Amino acid sequence: NAGVMQNPRHLVRRRGQEARLRCSPMKGHSHVYWYRQLPEEGLKFMVYLQKENIIDESGMPKERFSAEFPKEGPSILRIQQVVRGDSAAYFCASSPLGYPDTQYFGPGTRLTVL
Amino acid sequence: AQSVTQLDSHVSVSEGTPVLLRCNYSSSYSPSLFWYVQHPNKGLQLLLKYTSAATLVKGINGFEAEFKKSETSFHLTKPSAHMSDAAEYFCVVSDHNSGGGADGLTFGKGTHLIIQP
């Protein structure tokens, strides 16, 4: 049973470009969470999604960031017009239905904005 | 609202000596508490989890943690450190019974564990 998969593992963008980060949850998991880890910091919750539905986006920046979890395919975290401050590690986690505390994390995508 | 404070940003111990990583939490309800470990350039691995059962929780790799409600603490311990334990450790609280707010986990800032040979 494959774990949570994220790609790419490393992503380099120039200021003003778009970054798209992908997350495939564990098989059988219906909930996806995105977290951001800034250097020397813990992870900060960004958004919680089910298939075709955003449950909680209270941790998402109000502009330039969006997330989706379509009926088919991976969850996508999209950052438009990236700035240097967006450089961070972005982690995805998934959990089975009814167990939101039991989150399994992917290896993360390290975004560097030049 | 919930929060986590990891009292030490860095802890250094000698191989074979005990490890103590301190964590205090704040939660309005009965929380679930976790410790995660993150090795360099890797994802997070769950070490152990407390969910209102036994207050002493045993995890993987010889780690354990004790939930002390009176002290609002959930310190992580290990009797004898190995070189492979060198990593970043995060104390995490979840308060899904709060009825509102973020549904994600709330992470502490992390404790970097250094093992001296």
Side-chain angles (χ1 to χ4, degrees), chain A residues 35 37 45 56 91 101-103, chain B residues 49 94 96 101-103 105:
Chain A
Y35 294 82
Q37 183 181 30
F45 167 77
D56 183 346
F91 288 93
D101 286 348
T102 307
Q103 297 184 19
Chain B
K49 173 181 176 180
S94 172
H96 285 274
D103 279 294
L105 305 176

Side-chain angles (χ1 to χ4, degrees), chain A residues 9-10 33 35 37 40-45 48 55-56 58-59 91 99-108 110, chain B residues 10 32 34 36 38 40-44 46 49 51 90 94-96 101-110:
Chain A
R9 294 290 306 276
H10 300 273
Y33 305 77
Y35 294 82
Q37 183 181 30
E40 307 299 321
E41 294 282 331
L43 279 70
K44 300 279 192 235
F45 167 77
Y48 164 35
I55 304 301
D56 183 346
S58 58
F91 288 93
Y99 296 92
D101 286 348
T102 307
Q103 297 184 19
Y104 296 83
F105 284 80
R110 279 159 180 80
Chain B
H10 293 78
S32 296
F34 312 78
Y36 281 85
Q38 183 181 30
N41 298 314
K42 296 288 180 68
L44 292 108
L46 179 65
K49 173 181 176 180
T51 54
F90 294 98
S94 172
D95 190 1
H96 285 274
D103 279 294
L105 305 176
T106 298
F107 281 72
K109 290 191 174 184

Side-chain angles (χ1 to χ4, degrees), chain A residues 13-50:
Chain A
R13 286 287 178 266
R14 296 190 182 279
R15 282 179 294 170
Q17 292 183 320
E18 179 180 281
R20 290 167 63 95
L21 289 64
R22 295 175 186 77
C23 169
S24 296
M26 285 182 71
K27 187 177 181 180
H29 286 191
S30 55
H31 299 186
V32 165
Y33 305 77
W34 285 94
Y35 294 82
R36 177 165 62 176
Q37 183 181 30
L38 294 170
E40 307 299 321
E41 294 282 331
L43 279 70
K44 300 279 192 235
F45 167 77
M46 299 180 75
V47 62
Y48 164 35
L49 310 105
Q50 293 178 355

Side-chain angles (χ1 to χ4, degrees), chain A residues 51-65:
Chain A
K51 289 278 188 183
E52 300 183 287
N53 193 17
I54 296 175
I55 304 301
D56 183 346
E57 57 182 348
S58 58
M60 286 278 271
K62 295 288 186 264
E63 298 177 346
R64 302 187 297 107
F65 284 72

